[in-house]
């Protein structure tokens, strides 16, 4: 399975669910729509992992999932209220089974390659069409014009010129994934431990991503009337960001650049200036992506207690803690290609962020059967608290050396700073009663 995105992994496998990729960028993710575009919150569904509602499932590796269920109809809101208005994705993860320890290793290694290049003109064809267009418009370039000299030179010498797509696209980008695991246990304690290492080179140069997962869960039978469980998840991501879309960035720029301009001008010992097509140098843009980094760590833990208090009466308490820290860093070096393609002073932007989410849920359930009649009563309470903080700053005139790319190395004394913060909480009480007549 060539992805560590759980949503992408189920793409095309669930009827009636629309899953589309956000971009071809490594880690671009996918968008899932179960009940179309909703009006409550956003259109994203609610994710429930092992009974715990979560905002994101990025902490899960596809290989750790046992089963995925999609709730599309009224049952989603009957169980989860308005949070399930856009559908619910219920995920059950793998757990240990009674028996001797079992070791397994899953992995793959593959190569990504461009299916096909978009056919564009070479330097000779471009020059011919360009000169013909000028002649049709009655425009004559001056004899001493550098643009005219280069166009005529390319036309007369049948130059192939620069293939800008090949300048920014990596040939045979590597992708690999390795997932060892061990599971086992006794009737009193069952465990499952797994790790996943995933690395993907983007087809666009300098758009790579690595992601590492570590997961452990343990189910305990403490007594005849009391069961407990613990789950721990850790994820670390190291990514070089592309930060562009269909209409901007190096890929879109490469399609409009003239093939007469070289990616690197050996005469000027500098990036080539596309003054014929009036576009920025796509090779330069891609080269500077290497300093656009993001590092994220996430820790998700959950704990539950199941107690049988009396015959037919049970109590369940479960808690979930979600912690995340992020570090984004983007360095933009000073450069000069032409007066309209230059940056006078280098900048370094950094952001530090942290997220903390906690959920506590309690259920009390009573079931009773008399003959062919059965009744179930359930009462519950849930408390949710989420907090987000970030701080960001931009420093100016920062040295280009990677060893000195820190805000403290900025030679300018002025900084641009900003911050964001948000807090949200939810306290709810709910109940349900059901009756069945088996006749």
């Amino acid at each position: 399975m060539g992805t560590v995105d759980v949503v992408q992994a189920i793409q095309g496998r669930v009827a009636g669910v629309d899953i589309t990729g956000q971009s071809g960028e490594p880690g671009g993710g996918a968008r899932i729509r179960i009940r179309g575009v909703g009006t409550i919150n956003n259109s994203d569904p609610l994710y429930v992992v092992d009974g715990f509602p979560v905002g994101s499932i990025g902490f899960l590796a596809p290989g750790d999932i046992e089963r995925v269920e999609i709730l599309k109809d009224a049952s989603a809101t009957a169980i989860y209220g308005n949070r399930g208005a856009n559908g619910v994705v219920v995920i059950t993860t793998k757990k240990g089974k009674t028996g001797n320890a079992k070791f397994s290793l899953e992995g793959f290694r593959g190569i990504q390659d461009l299916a096909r290049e978009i056919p564009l003109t070479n330097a000779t064809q471009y020059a011919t069409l360009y000169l013909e267009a000028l002649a049709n418009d009655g425009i004559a370039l001056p004899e001493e014009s550098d643009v005219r000299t280069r166009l005529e030179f390319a036309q007369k010498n049948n130059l192939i010129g620069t293939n800008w797509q090949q300048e920014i696209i990596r040939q045979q980008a590597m992708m690999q994934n390795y997932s060892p695991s061990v599971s086992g246990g006794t009737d009193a304690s069952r465990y499952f431990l797994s790790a996943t290492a995933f690395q993907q080179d983007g087809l666009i140069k300098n758009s790579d991503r690595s992601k590492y997962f570590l997961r452990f869960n343990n189910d305990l039978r403490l007594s005849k009337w009391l069961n407990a469980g613990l789950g721990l998840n850790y994820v670390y991501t190291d990514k070089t960001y592309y930060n562009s879309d269909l209409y901007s960035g190096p890929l879109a720029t490469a399609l409009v650049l003239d093939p007469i301009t070289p990616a690197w001008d050996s005469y000027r010992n500098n990036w080539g200036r596309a003054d014929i097509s009036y576009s920025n140098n796509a090779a330069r843009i891609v080269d500077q992506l290497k300093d656009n980094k993001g590092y994220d760590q996430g820790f998700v833990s959950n704990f539950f207690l199941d107690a049988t208090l009396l015959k037919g009466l049970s109590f369940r308490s479960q808690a979930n803690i979600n912690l995340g820290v992020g570090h984004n860093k983007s360095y933009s070096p000073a450069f000069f290609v032409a007066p309209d393609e230059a940056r006078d002073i280098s900048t370094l932007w950094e952001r530090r962020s942290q997220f903390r989410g906690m959920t506590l849920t309690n259920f009390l359930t009573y079931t009773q059967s008399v003959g062919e009649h059965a009744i179930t009563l359930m009462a519950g309470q849930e408390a949710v608290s989420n907090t987000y903080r970030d701080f960001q700053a931009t420093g100016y005139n920062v040295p280009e050396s990677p060893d000195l790319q820190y805000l403290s190395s900025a030679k300018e004394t002025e900084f641009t700073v900003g911050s964001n913060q948000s807090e949200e909480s939810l306290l709810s009480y709910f109940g349900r009663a059901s009756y069945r007549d088996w006749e």
Side-chain angles (χ1 to χ4, degrees):
M1 186 179 296
T3 180
V4 289
D5 188 290
V6 176
V7 176
Q8 287 183 338
I10 63 176
Q11 187 173 18
R13 302 186 181 194
V14 182
V17 177
D18 179 35
I19 300 176
T20 55
Q22 298 289 71
S23 73
E25 175 187 6
R31 184 190 69 184
I32 180 170
R33 294 291 180 265
I34 297 175
R35 304 180 69 179
V37 177
T39 57
I40 296 180
N41 300 319
N42 53 37
S43 299
D44 296 330
L46 174 68
Y47 296 100
V48 178
V49 179
D50 292 332
F52 295 90
V54 295
S56 168
I57 52 176
F59 64 92
L60 287 177
D64 290 334
I65 293 177
E66 183 75 31
R67 184 174 65 255
V68 177
E69 298 177 66
I70 308 292
L71 304 183
K72 309 176 188 177
D73 51 24
S75 62
T77 52
I79 300 173
Y80 299 102
N82 62 7
R83 290 186 296 170
N86 297 316
V88 181
V89 180
V90 181
I91 297 175
T92 303
T93 61
K94 293 180 180 178
K95 292 178 171 39
K97 298 180 180 179
T98 302
N100 296 328
K102 295 183 179 180
F103 297 88
S104 68
L105 174 63
E106 298 180 1
F108 66 83
R109 183 170 181 169
I111 292 176
Q112 306 166 93
D113 211 345
L114 189 67
R116 73 178 185 92
E117 289 184 7
I118 296 177
L120 301 174
T121 58
N122 60 30
T124 302
Q125 295 166 337
Y126 186 93
T128 301
L129 293 172
Y130 195 98
L131 291 171
E132 286 181 359
L134 292 177
N136 291 337
D137 285 344
I139 301 174
L141 293 174
E143 290 287 342
E144 65 278 7
S145 168
D146 177 65
V147 172
R148 176 174 178 172
T149 301
R150 290 159 57 198
L151 289 169
E152 291 179 345
F153 180 83
Q155 187 181 40
K156 292 177 181 179
N157 292 275
N158 289 324
L159 295 184
I160 299 299
T162 304
N163 186 325
W164 288 103
Q165 295 177 77
Q166 293 182 3
E167 291 292 334
I168 67 169
I169 293 176
R170 179 187 281 121
Q171 304 298 317
Q172 297 186 341
M174 184 67 67
M175 177 192 294
Q176 51 190 335
N177 183 89
Y178 304 100
S179 301
S181 67
V182 58
S183 64
T186 64
D187 290 337
S189 175
R190 301 186 306 276
Y191 63 88
F192 182 90
L193 175 64
S194 68
T196 299
F198 177 82
Q199 190 272 329
Q200 181 181 10
D201 295 334
L203 282 175
I204 302 294
K205 296 177 181 178
N206 293 326
S207 63
D208 311 329
R209 180 179 67 147
S210 299
K211 196 167 186 178
Y212 306 93
F213 303 84
L214 184 62
R215 179 174 172 272
F216 171 77
N217 68 51
N218 193 13
D219 293 325
L220 302 169
R221 184 173 178 81
L222 302 178
S223 67
K224 292 182 179 180
W225 61 274
L226 185 61
N227 296 323
L230 172 69
L232 302 173
N233 298 269
Y234 173 78
V235 59
Y236 175 80
T237 304
D238 179 345
K239 178 171 170 51
T240 305
Y241 281 90
Y242 178 65
N243 282 353
S244 297
D245 53 30
L246 294 173
Y247 309 103
S248 64
L251 187 57
T253 303
L255 300 179
V256 298
L257 278 164
D258 66 84
I260 297 173
T261 300
W264 182 263
D265 191 336
S266 57
Y267 293 101
R268 299 170 57 235
N269 194 31
N270 197 357
W271 298 105
R273 172 55 182 158
D275 53 356
I276 298 177
S277 53
Y278 297 102
S279 300
N280 291 328
N281 189 311
R284 175 190 61 77
I285 299 173
V286 163
D287 180 73
Q288 293 181 6
L289 289 178
K290 66 181 183 292
D291 297 318
N292 195 11
K293 301 289 292 183
Y295 311 93
D296 296 291
Q297 297 184 74
F299 177 76
V300 179
S301 63
N302 53 68
F303 176 79
F304 74 86
L305 278 173
D306 271 332
T308 302
L309 304 179
L310 298 170
K311 182 179 179 181
L313 181 63
S314 63
F315 174 76
R316 178 182 175 94
S317 181
Q318 60 186 39
N320 174 271
I321 299 176
N322 186 350
L323 303 175
V325 294
H327 177 204
N328 296 83
K329 187 175 181 179
S330 179
Y331 178 76
S332 302
F335 69 92
F336 181 86
V337 178
D340 57 348
E341 187 177 355
R343 185 181 296 115
D344 297 331
I345 189 172
S346 63
T347 63
L348 174 64
W349 172 84
E350 281 199 63
R351 180 178 64 191
R352 304 275 182 165
S353 61
Q354 63 179 28
F355 171 82
R356 183 187 65 200
M358 294 183 290
T359 303
L360 175 64
T361 310
N362 297 297
F363 300 93
L364 187 63
T365 305
Y366 176 75
T367 59
Q368 181 66 49
S369 297
V370 179
E372 297 178 346
H373 306 278
I375 185 173
T376 300
L377 303 175
M378 185 271 287
Q381 169 270 334
E382 183 173 79
V384 179
S385 174
N386 294 319
T387 303
Y388 174 81
R389 299 280 190 275
D390 77 34
F391 177 82
Q392 50 193 299
T394 302
Y396 302 92
N397 201 2
V398 178
E400 189 170 357
S401 170
D403 296 332
L404 297 174
Q405 288 182 14
Y406 299 97
L407 291 173
S408 58
S409 301
K411 297 178 182 179
E412 299 291 330
T413 57
E414 293 185 358
F415 294 83
T416 302
V417 298
S419 66
N420 296 284
Q421 49 279 322
S422 66
E423 293 185 11
E424 61 180 17
S425 59
L426 171 69
L427 178 62
S428 60
Y429 299 90
F430 47 89
R432 184 171 62 179
S434 64
Y435 167 77
R436 287 186 178 181
D437 185 346
W438 296 108
E439 288 189 48

